[in-house]
Amino acid sequence: MNERWKWEDLRLFIAVARGGGLSAAAHATQVSPPTLGRRVLALERALGLELFHRSKDGYSLTTAGVELLEYAEGLEAEAARIDRWRDKAERTHKVRIAVGFWTGLFLAHKISELRPQDEHVDLALITGVEDIDLQRRQANIGLRNRRPENLGLAGQRLNRVEFAIYGDTDYVAGHPAAKTRRRYWDCDWITMVHAGTKPPSSAWLERHLERDAVLACNSPAALMAAVTTGTGLAVLPCFIGDASPRLVRCDDPVSELSHDQWLVSHDDDRHEPHIAKVIENTAQLIRRHRRLFEGQAVTG
C-alpha cells in the first residue's frame, strides 16, 4: 500500500455501500457518479484490497468491503460526535473561577450577575483553600487574598475583606458571654476543617479557644446550617454573617484576619472577550457589595 486512505474517500465508500451503487450514492452525497467511481477506486488502491463486486446491477460488497464498512461506520459515528462537540464549543465558552469557600458561597447565589447576557458562557466555581494554578490555566479567574507575584498573571485590587464572630440571635440572647471575652470559655463553637491547608479563621480560632469546638464542618453550607440553628458561635466573613437575618455580630471585626481581595487572571486569558466580560461582571458585583465585604453593613 503506497498511498494513505483519506477520510473523505471512506465517507464516499460508505455512501456507495449503503446505496448499492454510484447513482444512489451520488444523490446522497451530491458528488457525481464518475467522481465517486474514481474515489472508490483510489481507496481500493490505497488499501490494496477490492471492496466491491461491480456489475450491471450495481456495487455489492466483497468480504473485505463488509469488514471495512463495519469499521468505517464506527469512525463515522465518532466523527459525528466530534462535529457535535465542535459545534457546541463554537457556541459555548466555559470560564472557571477559583475562589475560597465563603466567596464561592456568595457567588453561587449571584451566578446570573456573573454570566454575560449576550454570550453563551458556562461558569464553573472551583472552591477551596488550596491555590489553583492560574499560570497553567487550571482556572481562568481567581479571587485571592494577595497581589499576584508570578510572571504572566494580572490582578486588580477589589476591596478589603473583614471577619467577625457571629451567633444565632436566640443563642446570643441566651448566652450573654457571647459578647464578652468569656465567649472563649463559656460558649459553644463551630469551626471549619479541611483536608489540606487549614483556613486562616480556623487557625485563629484554635489559638483563642479555651475549650474544644462542639462541631467541625468541612463545608460552608454545613457550618451555616449549624450556626443559624443555634449550635454555637463561629468566625465568618462579614459578607456572609452580616447578610444573614438569623445572625448577630458579637464583636468588632477580627483585625488579624482582615485582608485585601484581588481578582487575578492569566495575562493572556483576560483579553479573551468572554473571559474579560466575566472579569468585569465579577469585579462590579463585589465592588457593589463593598460595604458588606468590609464589615460596614448595619448589624443587629
Side-chain angles (χ1 to χ4, degrees):
M1 182 174 64
N2 298 322
E3 305 173 62
R4 289 184 59 84
W5 59 268
K6 300 176 182 177
W7 164 245
E8 181 62 16
D9 289 340
L10 203 58
R11 185 181 71 83
L12 297 179
F13 158 77
I14 294 172
V16 174
R18 288 173 176 167
L22 300 180
S23 297
H27 179 74
T29 62
Q30 302 301 305
V31 176
S32 69
T35 299
L36 281 170
R38 289 195 300 272
R39 299 293 286 273
V40 169
L41 184 59
L43 178 61
E44 289 179 320
R45 288 173 176 169
L47 295 174
L49 296 168
E50 185 178 10
L51 303 175
F52 292 102
H53 297 299
R54 294 162 174 84
S55 71
K56 63 179 181 178
D57 296 323
Y59 281 45
S60 61
L61 289 168
T62 64
T63 300
V66 171
E67 293 176 348
L68 178 61
L69 181 61
E70 181 180 350
Y71 292 128
E73 288 180 330
L75 289 174
E76 181 184 45
E78 292 302 312
R81 288 180 59 194
I82 292 173
D83 285 340
R84 290 193 295 272
W85 166 79
R86 180 199 60 201
D87 292 343
K88 182 180 179 182
E90 288 177 349
R91 296 193 307 270
T92 305
H93 300 286
K94 176 171 282 188
V95 178
R96 299 178 302 278
I97 307 172
V99 294
F101 284 123
W102 294 113
T103 309
L105 189 62
F106 175 82
L107 293 182
H109 286 89
K110 302 180 183 297
I111 287 297
S112 62
E113 298 182 50
L114 300 183
R115 184 180 291 112
Q117 298 301 310
D118 55 347
E119 295 185 42
H120 296 283
V121 174
D122 290 338
L123 300 179
L125 280 180
I126 307 170
T127 62
V129 296
E130 302 294 341
D131 276 349
I132 298 296
D133 195 337
L134 295 176
Q135 285 183 305
R136 295 184 179 180
R137 307 308 213 285
Q138 291 178 345
N140 306 109
I141 302 169
L143 291 174
R144 298 284 184 248
N145 60 7
R146 59 185 180 275
R147 180 197 297 269
E149 297 177 350
N150 294 335
L151 291 175
L153 298 183
Q156 54 175 304
R157 182 186 179 279
L158 298 178
N159 52 19
R160 196 77 179 157
V161 178
E162 300 288 348
F163 288 72
I165 297 167
Y166 292 87
D168 173 75
T169 303
D170 293 338
Y171 182 89
V172 173
H175 295 76
K179 292 197 172 185
T180 74
R181 291 284 301 173
R182 289 296 309 173
R183 68 175 76 94
Y184 302 111
W185 287 266
D186 298 345
C187 291
D188 304 300
W189 285 86
I190 312 161
T191 188
M192 180 76 81
V193 294
H194 189 267
T197 305
K198 184 176 297 184
S201 58
S202 297
W204 178 88
L205 185 57
E206 192 175 89
R207 293 195 301 271
H208 287 76
L209 271 188
E210 298 295 335
R211 56 183 298 181
D212 291 337
V214 298
L215 179 65
C217 301
N218 69 350
S219 79
L223 189 147
M224 283 298 291
V227 72
T228 55
T229 53
T231 302
L233 305 181
V235 178
L236 298 171
C238 293
F239 66 84
I240 295 293
D242 289 346
S244 173
R246 286 293 312 164
L247 300 181
V248 59
R249 194 193 293 182
C250 297
D251 207 341
D252 293 334
V254 179
S255 59
E256 297 99 307
L257 296 176
S258 177
H259 62 78
D260 286 338
Q261 181 160 245
W262 289 80
L263 192 155
V264 183
S265 61
H266 194 282
D267 201 33
D268 293 334
D269 281 356
R270 68 191 180 102
H271 297 295
E272 294 287 338
H274 60 285
I275 296 177
K277 189 61 178 177
V278 176
I279 289 174
E280 179 184 356
N281 289 351
T282 303
Q284 289 180 353
L285 170 65
I286 291 177
R287 284 174 173 145
R288 281 199 302 273
H289 294 276
R290 180 184 61 82
R291 289 179 55 80
L292 193 60
F293 277 86
E294 295 184 351
Q296 299 176 29
V298 177
T299 62

